[in-house]
Amino acid sequence: MRDHQPAPTPDGDRRLSTKEAAELLGVKPETVYAYVSRGQLSSRRAPGGRGSTFDAKEVETLARRNRRESGGGSGSGGGELAVRTRITLIDADRYYFRGVDATELAARHSYEEIAEWLWTGRMKPGTTFTAPDASVAVARRSVDALPEHASPTDRLRVAAIAAAAADPLRFDLSEDAVLGTARVLIPTLVAALPPVRAGHRDEGSLAQRLWARLSGRAADEASLRVLDTALGLLVDHDLAASTLAVRVAASARAHAYAAVSAGLGVLEGPLHGAASGLAHRLLNDVLEQGDAGPVIADELRAGRRIPGLGHRLYRGEDPRARALFALLEEIPRAEPALLAARDVVATTARHTPLHANVDLALAVFTASSGMPATAGETIFAVARTAGWIAHALEEYGERPLRMRPSGLYAGAKPPQPLPE
């Protein structure tokens, strides 16, 4: 069959019929009109008033965009979902926030300043996040009602839901409103966690307030610097599983609290936010036995992967781990945990050469700071909330419900008889 080339209109533009536009887009004719109703395509009545026509260039542009978003374009990684983003780039064992080296940002700026940079593209020195007493009070009451064995992520998720319920304007998805929510939600999440020491007063930076929820030791300047740098390094990391969940929620126009809740739900998996807790326990075992050999042997014998090692996006060492290890070397009490981590890397290299990732670096920090194994997950969750907000803001600017892949049905061929 010969390809049909639409005739140009008097003004020189090529016009496509509904059928031709549908074929080019790979959709049904009804979907073409859905694009028109969403404002993604413009239509014009055909001469004589029979049917609609569409600008060929406009249809071709939409078809290219749809192919990129569905992962069908070049560089999509074999059909994986590809999403345009201006937030984070990971390239050649380095990563960048809005084009700026993320490790350099974390070395020079606080977590709150980096969050503002990620959200707005503007650096605001001295930025701090504080939450109103009313927001903190409702979140604390809800968190306090949980059983004692509730995990930190359970508490953060409940705090986010409580804060949402207390905000009647949560459905305002304008940029200013979402940014206002973000600046209040993050400190509310931290304040909702119970302090380790009684009588603690919430003062200072977000890192200082978070430290009081993680360790009973007094916070020294070097340790607070590590914590604040860790928060800055972990703000975002492209489309991790939790971030994709946030974008799906935002695509459905869920409000910011709900989008963050979606991220927290995914974060709890052992292959994501909870990985640092596994590395923490591994380090403690090595410290107790004084040798990584038998500990690694037990892990391999049980068929488990060694936590804290390797990352699918980096061929060399995770740049986040490298930055944190450099700071931890300046803290004398971290030396035993650092030596244990190096022993883990060296011992595992006899079996499979893998570099340390950020989970192992977090484990060194938490294990040497008198923190529980869950502390790394808490740090990760608080840090990543800022990145989730950035992705939600970006997704609110895209067409609604675009994060809707098609299922490849592999079940019984219909029609099947009704079940007995």
Side-chain angles (χ1 to χ4, degrees):
M1 175 187 280
R2 202 162 46 88
D3 288 340
H4 174 68
Q5 296 295 325
T9 60
D11 58 7
D13 293 332
R14 289 192 302 125
R15 308 293 298 178
L16 300 177
S17 67
T18 303
K19 180 182 178 182
E20 290 164 342
E23 289 175 350
L24 184 57
L25 291 165
V27 299
K28 297 177 181 179
E30 307 90 82
T31 305
V32 175
Y33 290 107
Y35 285 136
V36 174
S37 66
R38 295 172 190 159
Q40 295 172 269
L41 280 179
S42 57
S43 64
R44 186 187 302 171
R45 299 297 294 177
R50 301 178 66 182
S52 299
T53 64
F54 305 86
D55 182 89
K57 291 181 180 178
E58 197 176 55
V59 174
E60 288 164 0
T61 298
L62 179 59
R64 283 195 299 271
R65 190 176 77 182
N66 286 352
R67 283 195 294 272
R68 286 196 300 268
E69 290 174 356
S70 65
S74 60
S76 64
E80 295 178 357
L81 180 68
V83 179
R84 291 192 309 275
T85 178
R86 297 174 296 278
I87 299 171
T88 300
L89 169 68
I90 299 175
D91 182 51
D93 288 348
R94 298 175 74 181
Y95 72 121
Y96 306 84
F97 294 154
R98 293 185 175 273
V100 177
D101 188 290
T103 57
E104 292 183 10
L105 272 175
R108 292 170 172 78
H109 295 279
S110 71
Y111 166 70
E112 293 99 318
E113 290 170 347
I114 294 171
E116 284 285 349
W117 163 256
L118 212 62
W119 297 336
T120 67
R122 297 185 296 273
M123 184 58 69
K124 297 180 179 179
T127 295
T128 57
F129 297 153
T130 56
D133 292 341
S135 175
V136 172
V138 70
R140 279 181 176 167
R141 284 197 301 271
S142 299
V143 168
D144 289 346
L146 292 173
E148 288 186 11
H149 64 263
S151 72
T153 306
D154 290 332
R155 299 176 191 276
L156 291 171
R157 198 157 56 237
V158 167
I161 294 169
D167 183 359
L169 303 180
R170 62 188 179 275
F171 295 102
D172 184 349
L173 302 186
S174 65
E175 182 175 341
D176 286 345
V178 174
L179 287 174
T181 294
R183 294 175 184 126
V184 168
L185 176 58
I186 293 174
T188 297
L189 294 179
V190 172
L193 297 173
V196 176
R197 288 187 299 168
H200 166 76
R201 296 179 63 185
D202 276 332
E203 296 175 335
S205 68
L206 193 84
Q208 287 176 293
R209 284 171 270 159
L210 180 58
W211 175 276
R213 271 83 185 167
L214 301 175
S215 177
R217 298 177 181 174
D220 57 89
E221 187 175 338
S223 296
L224 283 177
R225 184 184 176 200
V226 175
L227 178 54
D228 189 59
T229 302
L231 290 168
L233 291 168
L234 292 167
V235 162
D236 191 53
H237 206 235
D238 195 34
L239 285 184
S242 57
T243 304
L244 182 58
V246 168
R247 293 199 75 128
V248 170
S251 177
R253 296 305 183 256
H255 53 71
Y257 300 94
V260 168
S261 296
L264 287 168
V266 175
L267 189 72
E268 207 165 10
L271 301 182
H272 195 12
S276 62
L278 300 176
H280 178 110
R281 295 182 181 94
L282 179 81
L283 273 189
N284 277 346
D285 289 344
V286 174
L287 287 167
E288 286 177 10
Q289 298 201 30
D291 183 3
V295 177
I296 298 302
D298 286 344
E299 294 292 311
L300 295 175
R301 189 177 298 116
R304 294 188 291 262
R305 64 186 296 272
I306 309 303
L309 300 180
H311 197 291
R312 63 187 295 265
L313 298 180
Y314 300 114
R315 297 184 65 181
E317 188 175 36
D318 184 334
R320 302 168 298 177
R322 186 165 55 245
L324 289 179
F325 283 142
L327 291 178
L328 287 164
E329 287 172 357
E330 300 174 9
I331 301 177
R333 71 165 184 271
E335 185 176 5
L338 273 170
L339 292 174
R342 290 171 183 149
D343 193 8
V344 167
V345 173
T347 302
T348 308
R350 303 174 201 163
H351 170 70
T352 304
L354 292 172
H355 294 278
N357 63 34
V358 72
D359 296 317
L360 189 61
L362 274 179
V364 170
F365 174 61
T366 57
S368 61
S369 300
M371 298 177 181
T374 55
E377 184 177 346
T378 306
I379 294 167
F380 195 109
V382 171
R384 192 56 57 89
T385 299
W388 293 336
I389 293 291
H391 280 274
L393 278 167
E394 198 171 59
E395 193 60 40
Y396 290 147
E398 299 285 351
R399 62 181 173 85
L401 295 174
R402 70 181 186 129
M403 309 292 282
R404 174 61 169 89
S406 298
L408 296 176
Y409 178 72
K413 184 177 181 180
Q416 294 288 315
L418 287 171
E420 294 293 334

